[in-house]
Amino acid sequence: MDWISSLSSQGSSRNVWTATAVVTCLALFQLFRYKQQQRFRREYGEADHELPFSTISIWGLTIGPGIEYHWKERFKLYKNNEKELLVLRPKVFGDPYFFTNSPEVLRQVNGQGWDKPEWGVEAMRFWGENLVSAKGETWKRHRRILQPAFNSKTYEMVWNESNRFYREMIATGNWPHQSGLTIDITDAQKMTGRFTLCVILSCGFGIKLGWDEKVHVKKDDPLTLDDGIHLQGSNILLVTYAPKWILNLPFKKLRFIRVATDMMRSWFKTSLAEKRALTEREGALSTQPLGGKDIFTRLVQASDESEKVQISESEIIGNTWVFFFAGHETAATVLAACFCLLAVNKEEQEIIHREVHEAMKQSSDDDELRFEAYESLIKTRAAFVEALRMMPPGNFMVREAVEDTILQVPSFENGIESKKSVPIRKGAVIGIDIVGIQYNPRLYPEPEKFKPSRWYGVTSDEAYSAFSLGNRVCIGKKFALTESVCFLANVMRDYTVEPLLKPGETLDSWKDRVLNETKCELTMTLVSSPVTFRRR
């Protein structure tokens, strides 16, 4: 049996060598991290906060705390700090990085010397390069192609279609027409998501449909476009970063995600081919300029070789996905939050109702709000923007220094505000805490309160920092404001909104359950949005 003893001895030896190799690698890794953090400490000082993992790393997003940390700690994170630029140091894994709740810093890092890190845009590139993920000259090319599609004619079409979809929702959804009767909406975001999807399909992509008409990703398949977009947004990190074999594991949810992804890819390609064939039949490629076309038409036309500013097929699909998702998910999230906030602020509902009533008096049509009323609906728009402040869907952004630079950071000493110059080395990463900006008491006194009046006198679009600032400001800002103001005005004209309580639930419990609980996937949304609408 000597051979058994020999094999056992060899196995023990291999185990020792394996263990030694693993311990050595871990020790070297920890030494590397220690030196890296020591250098960071020498350059930028001690960390203001320590967590097991970086909130923006794959470990932080999957294990925790993730970017929800910034929502949960929004009232504590920056309290008693001397400047609006803090350092977070991961204790287990990840590099130290900055984060800020300053719009002034946001404006600076959206300018020269800064860009999006490659690892920060991979998920948004899953379907192809697009306006959100693109950088430098590529971003400028995408912007030049798409910007003309966002014009006054587009916004008027958005308004008119919003009116139409509201009417159809009331007619087909059994909404009460008799004063005092109610309808319970257990998930307001499902309702607002349907509305914003209908608008973006109609005005952005020329797909005309009715409120209760479903667009199926594949003929004779139960999966709808609504389902496909939601599935992709909820699982984009999984389909982007997980090994391909993960989606082939025998689990129902993984199979559903895989099938949905394949169907969405097929739908994008089929829609692209159909739109290209249609524009060619109409002679649009050769006889009509790009200006004034909807988003999808402009993308298809820009893929033609005769155009000076061209775009590839994968870029068309990438931008289509972004505008489908960002064009309806974000506005739907804020609208749902707005209804929930209005449900516990009755006086704000009446302010909107009176404003809409006055606008109707000026309208040439007694039964419908016209697009000309948009500018006069200041308080209605303010309610939406205040909901956007309190519940920003795009709650975090990341920027990387591409060169050594200096940031001018708002600072405070003995209650006196000043600017502090902070040298930043090339490669440093800053997380733009959009939630932190929107709850910054320097900008918004009593940030925990729903106060639309704080926006009444605002005339500069730069104040709407939840849409980003500087060169990278959201291209669809006016699109979102137009559809949302129209929908909100219509609903508040005809209905009041109340919290939909569970049996035995108090109003305070509803507030805590609904207004404080969020989930952060690709965007931040309320976990639940149950409300009741009562006919005026």
Side-chain angles (χ1 to χ4, degrees):
M1 306 296 286
D2 290 342
W3 62 277
I4 295 178
S5 299
S6 177
L7 286 175
S8 177
S9 176
Q10 291 175 16
S12 298
S13 179
R14 280 196 298 269
N15 289 339
V16 170
W17 280 108
T18 300
T20 302
V22 170
V23 170
T24 301
C25 289
L26 289 173
L28 290 173
F29 174 72
Q30 289 297 331
L31 179 62
F32 170 77
R33 286 193 70 246
Y34 174 76
K35 289 185 175 181
Q36 188 181 44
Q37 293 190 2
Q38 285 295 102
R39 187 183 70 177
F40 197 91
R41 185 179 289 111
R42 286 195 302 270
E43 292 177 351
Y44 304 116
E46 294 293 332
D48 297 288
H49 296 278
E50 290 186 336
L51 293 171
F53 302 100
S54 164
T55 59
I56 56 176
S57 69
I58 192 66
W59 294 105
L61 293 172
T62 53
I63 299 176
I67 53 179
E68 285 188 5
Y69 173 77
H70 296 271
W71 167 260
K72 293 176 180 178
E73 299 296 320
R74 63 193 183 279
F75 297 118
K76 303 176 183 177
L77 205 54
Y78 302 91
K79 197 172 183 179
N80 301 323
N81 285 288
E82 293 182 354
K83 61 181 184 297
E84 294 181 354
L85 182 71
L86 307 182
V87 175
L88 187 147
R89 185 177 73 86
K91 292 188 288 187
V92 177
F93 182 80
D95 299 332
Y97 71 98
F98 296 100
F99 55 99
T100 182
N101 66 336
S102 164
E104 294 89 347
V105 173
L106 167 59
R107 190 175 288 106
Q108 292 172 71
V109 300
N110 267 347
Q112 187 175 356
W114 295 85
D115 215 333
K116 297 181 178 183
E118 283 297 314
W119 53 264
V121 295
E122 287 179 359
M124 295 306 298
R125 280 187 183 145
F126 178 80
W127 292 105
E129 190 76 272
N130 55 75
L131 187 64
V132 174
S133 65
K135 302 189 291 185
E137 292 301 317
T138 303
W139 173 78
K140 292 179 182 178
R141 173 167 56 86
H142 283 248
R143 187 90 180 192
R144 282 198 299 271
I145 291 169
L146 291 165
Q147 184 68 66
F150 295 88
N151 55 62
S152 58
K153 289 184 178 179
T154 298
Y155 303 139
E156 184 171 6
M157 177 170 61
V158 168
W159 185 274
N160 292 335
E161 286 295 86
S162 297
N163 271 328
R164 176 171 75 88
F165 288 124
Y166 170 73
R167 292 195 304 271
E168 291 184 7
M169 178 187 76
I170 298 302
T172 63
N174 296 318
W175 283 62
H177 293 273
Q178 183 178 339
S179 178
L181 295 184
T182 63
I183 180 171
D184 292 342
I185 304 295
T186 57
D187 185 358
Q189 185 152 335
K190 186 175 181 180
M191 173 191 72
T192 57
R194 180 61 187 170
F195 165 72
T196 55
L197 180 63
C198 287
V199 174
I200 192 65
L201 284 172
S202 176
C203 303
F205 298 92
I207 302 174
K208 304 294 182 181
L209 73 166
W211 175 264
D212 56 356
E213 181 182 351
K214 301 294 184 180
V215 177
H216 290 272
V217 174
K218 193 175 182 181
K219 190 177 180 181
D220 300 325
D221 193 276
L223 186 73
T224 65
L225 191 58
D226 312 49
D227 299 327
I229 293 174
H230 178 72
L231 272 170
Q232 281 295 305
S234 301
N235 299 283
I236 194 69
L237 294 178
L238 177 65
V239 298
T240 301
Y241 296 109
K244 301 303 179 186
W245 56 265
I246 290 288
L247 294 180
N248 291 319
L249 292 176
F251 297 103
K252 185 176 180 180
K253 182 178 180 180
L254 293 177
R255 179 183 176 277
F256 194 47
I257 293 170
R258 185 183 73 249
V259 170
T261 301
D262 291 341
M263 287 183 176
M264 286 292 292
R265 185 175 288 108
S266 174
W267 188 88
F268 282 139
K269 291 184 176 180
T270 300
S271 298
L272 175 57
E274 291 175 351
K275 175 63 78 171
R276 182 174 281 131
L278 177 62
T279 53
E280 286 176 348
R281 284 199 304 271
E282 294 176 348
L285 288 176
S286 58
T287 62
Q288 295 184 24
L290 283 176
K293 296 295 181 182
D294 63 46
I295 297 167
F296 200 32
T297 299
R298 286 189 57 79
L299 289 169
V300 172
Q301 289 184 234
S303 68
D304 183 56
E305 294 181 356
S306 65
E307 293 295 334
K308 292 181 180 180
V309 184
Q310 294 183 19
I311 196 168
S312 68
E313 182 171 307
S314 67
E315 289 175 320
I316 294 176
I317 294 174
N319 277 293
T320 301
W321 155 249
V322 163
F323 280 104
F324 269 145
F325 184 80
H328 98 279
E329 185 82 5
T330 52
T333 294
V334 181
L335 269 173
C338 190
F339 285 126
C340 290
L341 288 163
L342 286 169
V344 292
N345 288 274
K346 303 291 186 183
E347 67 284 357
E348 297 296 342
Q349 294 186 49
E350 296 310 309
I351 289 172
I352 295 173
H353 178 71
R354 288 195 295 270
E355 181 179 65
V356 174
H357 185 68
E358 287 300 314
M360 292 291 293
K361 288 181 180 179
Q362 307 301 319
S363 175
S364 57
D365 191 328
D366 292 335
D367 298 323
E368 189 169 286
L369 275 169
R370 295 298 180 185
F371 179 57
E372 293 75 20
Y374 172 79
E375 294 298 338
S376 67
L377 294 174
I378 296 170
K379 296 174 182 178
T380 308
R381 184 164 59 251
F384 176 80
V385 174
E386 178 69 347
L388 174 64
R389 181 192 71 79
M390 298 189 73
M391 187 61 58
N395 60 324
F396 209 85
M397 297 187 294
V398 182
R399 294 293 183 267
E400 182 179 21
V402 297
E403 60 187 36
D404 290 350
T405 186
I406 296 176
L407 286 176
Q408 300 300 321
V409 181
S411 303
F412 309 89
E413 188 171 352
N414 299 322
I416 300 175
E417 182 180 344
S418 63
K419 289 288 194 300
K420 183 175 182 179
S421 297
V422 179
I424 303 292
R425 280 190 178 274
K426 178 181 178 180
V429 171
I430 291 186
I432 312 302
D433 184 0
I434 300 299
V435 171
I437 291 175
Q438 306 311 314
Y439 282 82
N440 187 333
R442 175 174 66 88
L443 307 169
Y444 308 109
E446 298 181 304
E448 74 284 357
K449 293 185 178 180
F450 180 67
K451 296 172 63 176
S453 59
R454 69 174 92 239
W455 301 100
Y456 287 179
V458 173
T459 57
S460 170
D461 287 345
E462 283 285 288
Y464 298 165
S465 55
F467 285 109
S468 192
L469 297 171
N471 294 332
R472 301 294 300 230
V473 67
C474 176
I475 194 173
K477 177 174 63 176
K478 184 68 177 289
F479 190 110
L481 285 171
T482 301
E483 65 178 339
S484 300
V485 168
C486 183
F487 189 71
L488 186 59
N490 272 297
V491 174
M492 289 293 97
R493 177 192 61 196
D494 299 331
Y495 297 87
T496 60
V497 59
E498 307 164 6
L500 177 57
L501 305 177
K502 291 180 178 181
E505 187 176 38
T506 66
L507 181 59
D508 286 340
S509 296
W510 183 93
K511 289 180 181 179
D512 189 57
R513 173 171 67 93
V514 174
L515 299 178
N516 286 327
E517 293 298 321
T518 65
K519 56 182 177 181
C520 295
E521 293 165 340
L522 199 56
T523 58
M524 186 175 75
T525 64
L526 291 174
V527 172
S528 61
S529 48
V531 291
T532 295
F533 291 95
R534 185 180 300 275
R535 185 75 186 195
R536 289 183 180 273

